[in-house]
Amino acid sequence: AVLDAVCALAPDKLDMQAQICHNIIAWCQAEKRSFLRQRVEAKLASVLFQQDKYAEALALVDNLLLELKKLDDKQLLVETHLVESKIHHGLRGMAKSKAALTASRTNANAIYVAPALQSQIDLMSGVLHCEEGDYDTAHSYFLEAFEQLDQLDDRDKAMPCLKYMMLCRILDGLSKALGISASGTMGIRSDRAEVDISGMVSGKRGVKYAGRDMEAMSAIAAAASERSLKDYEAVLAKYPNELQDDLLIRHHLKTLQEQLLESNLIRIIEPYSCVEIDH
């Protein structure tokens, strides 16, 4: 409880959090407090993940899971498998990330899971579906996570969920628009309604969570709607922290850039019924 309080007071001081965890683990080993050590090790793995120290975090999680499976500590297994899923996602190992999340869900089904933890499971489910290109399902999971965190009034954790929901709408809308254009129908252009998120921005959620994060995603949506690479690059330059600090958003913005490039190439050939490529 004291460790959680310290981490809550200084969420950005990851080095300090890691050092505190190491000190507590050393004390637990000296005093043979196994249960407390395991919980602090789980916290340390989460901190190492946030520091992008994936290899060190994964080694700690693997050893911890061996102990927890023998003890059948369902609660800690849920949390540790969830951290494991996040680590594998950071390493771009989607199959292992999905397997770890399934293990977390399986253990969660056997116990009561607090809303805060359930929201993190739903959030990770949405992330993996988003990576697979299933934006509708991902949006549903992000919405579940957002509503739980919004009820808990946890703005810091709810905001990323809202941004992910907007990202899914943008990517899904542009993909559908490109599918229509690529089908060969002459003169078809991206429909603004397909990539418009103004309803989310101007609605109750958008007003409550208004700020630079919402502005950044709205600007990305506008650039996608216009199928403009120039506007897109200008938005990235204007909102670097809001768009580049998050792993999922950073990865999918690269996908969006590729889609916009494809869209611009399609726009060039759309007026023609026949295109000859000279070799």
Side-chain angles (χ1 to χ4, degrees):
V2 175
L3 177 60
D4 291 336
V6 171
C7 294
L9 290 172
D12 298 328
K13 304 291 185 180
L14 297 178
D15 290 335
M16 181 188 73
Q17 293 180 29
Q19 186 58 51
I20 292 173
C21 288
H22 281 299
N23 292 341
I24 296 175
I25 290 170
W27 179 84
C28 290
Q29 290 172 336
E31 298 293 327
K32 297 182 180 180
R33 303 289 183 90
S34 298
F35 292 107
L36 179 58
R37 173 183 56 79
Q38 290 165 355
R39 177 151 293 280
V40 177
E41 284 181 348
K43 176 63 179 178
L44 177 59
S46 179
V47 172
L48 292 173
F49 164 73
Q50 294 178 65
Q51 291 179 310
D52 296 334
K53 297 179 180 179
Y54 299 135
E56 191 176 344
L58 187 59
L60 181 60
V61 164
D62 287 342
N63 292 331
L64 182 58
L65 285 173
L66 290 175
E67 295 183 35
L68 295 176
K69 287 175 181 177
K70 293 178 183 178
L71 297 172
D72 199 30
D73 187 339
K74 298 289 187 185
Q75 179 68 32
L76 202 50
L77 276 170
V78 171
E79 298 175 18
T80 307
H81 275 302
L82 182 58
V83 173
E84 181 189 18
S85 179
K86 293 178 180 179
I87 295 169
H88 282 301
H89 173 251
L91 293 169
R92 311 304 300 167
M94 297 305 156
K96 291 183 177 180
S97 180
K98 197 170 184 178
L101 183 62
T102 300
S104 180
R105 280 190 173 279
T106 301
N107 285 285
N109 289 335
I111 60 171
Y112 168 75
V113 177
L117 179 56
Q118 183 61 52
S119 69
Q120 295 306 305
I121 295 174
D122 290 335
L123 176 61
M124 195 63 211
S125 298
V127 167
L128 294 181
H129 279 286
C130 190
E131 295 286 12
E132 293 174 350
D134 187 358
Y135 301 122
D136 285 335
T137 305
H139 182 275
S140 299
Y141 276 115
F142 291 142
L143 179 59
E144 288 286 339
F146 173 78
E147 288 179 342
Q148 293 178 78
L149 292 167
D150 187 47
Q151 289 178 357
L152 295 171
D153 201 25
D154 192 339
R155 182 187 177 90
D156 291 338
K157 292 182 179 179
M159 176 56 78
C161 297
L162 185 56
K163 290 171 68 177
Y164 296 161
M165 289 163 59
M166 299 168 78
L167 178 68
C168 287
R169 284 287 175 255
I170 294 169
L171 292 171
D172 187 50
L174 186 59
S175 297
K176 289 177 180 177
L178 286 176
I180 294 172
S181 296
S183 66
T185 308
M186 188 171 67
I188 296 296
R189 294 187 59 190
S190 172
D191 181 3
R192 176 176 291 275
E194 286 289 343
V195 289
D196 186 18
I197 57 172
S198 58
M200 297 177 67
V201 175
S202 60
K204 182 179 178 181
R205 298 170 189 150
V207 173
K208 181 177 179 179
Y209 291 90
R212 282 184 60 85
D213 290 286
M214 295 288 286
E215 292 172 6
M217 297 307 296
S218 297
I220 287 290
S225 180
E226 295 295 335
R227 301 193 335 195
S228 172
L229 268 175
K230 181 180 178 181
D231 292 347
Y232 171 82
E233 291 170 354
V235 173
L236 289 184
K238 184 177 180 180
Y239 301 98
N241 296 331
E242 290 79 8
L243 298 175
Q244 297 295 329
D245 288 350
D246 186 278
L247 179 65
L248 182 70
I249 293 178
R250 183 170 67 247
H251 172 69
H252 281 281
L253 285 181
K254 293 179 181 178
T255 303
L256 179 59
Q257 186 173 18
E258 293 172 359
Q259 288 180 331
L260 287 173
L261 178 59
E262 179 185 352
S263 176
N264 278 263
L265 293 174
I266 291 173
R267 177 182 288 180
I268 294 172
I269 64 174
E270 270 178 344
Y272 304 97
S273 58
C274 181
V275 179
E276 180 181 349
I277 301 177
D278 187 14
H279 293 282

